[in-house]
Amino acid sequence: QTLKCLPEQAEVLNQNSLDFLKQAQNQPHFDLVFLDPPFHFNLAEQAIALLAQNNWLRPQALVYVETEKGKNPNVPENWMVLKQKDSGQVSYRLYQVENTVA
């Protein structure tokens, strides 16, 4: 299946996502991020840290994170939980990145 979008609207990269997120950004890029890494490897926390440290997220960005049940990932202080739920072996959380005061 295709995404049914124009080539200038999307870019597909085939690389390690953590390596990609290690690239510091001059301007934030993302309004929405979906994180659903394999469990028990601390990958969600690594991705969260890189998103925040390397200026990937625009103000008010939404970040959806799935982790193993009972795992409450460390997130930056300016990430507010909008929704959270546990189902089976999975915890779901939706964060919103709040503006920080410079």
Side-chain angles (χ1 to χ4, degrees), residues 43-60:
L43 296 173
E45 284 192 347
Q46 291 177 59
I48 288 167
L50 291 169
L51 284 166
Q53 291 168 7
N54 292 329
N55 195 33
W56 283 103
L57 301 172
R58 291 184 175 149
Q60 306 301 310

Side-chain angles (χ1 to χ4, degrees), residues 4-12:
K4 296 183 181 177
C5 65
L6 298 172
E8 62 271 11
Q9 293 176 316
E11 182 178 2
V12 177

Side-chain angles (χ1 to χ4, degrees), residues 42-89:
N42 199 34
L43 296 173
E45 284 192 347
Q46 291 177 59
I48 288 167
L50 291 169
L51 284 166
Q53 291 168 7
N54 292 329
N55 195 33
W56 283 103
L57 301 172
R58 291 184 175 149
Q60 306 301 310
L62 297 172
V63 182
Y64 174 85
V65 181
E66 288 189 11
T67 61
E68 59 269 23
K69 188 174 183 177
K71 174 75 171 170
N72 190 9
N74 291 323
V75 298
E77 288 183 18
N78 66 323
W79 288 30
M80 304 301 142
V81 176
L82 297 179
K83 294 183 181 185
Q84 64 183 36
K85 181 179 178 182
D86 291 332
S87 179
Q89 297 298 311

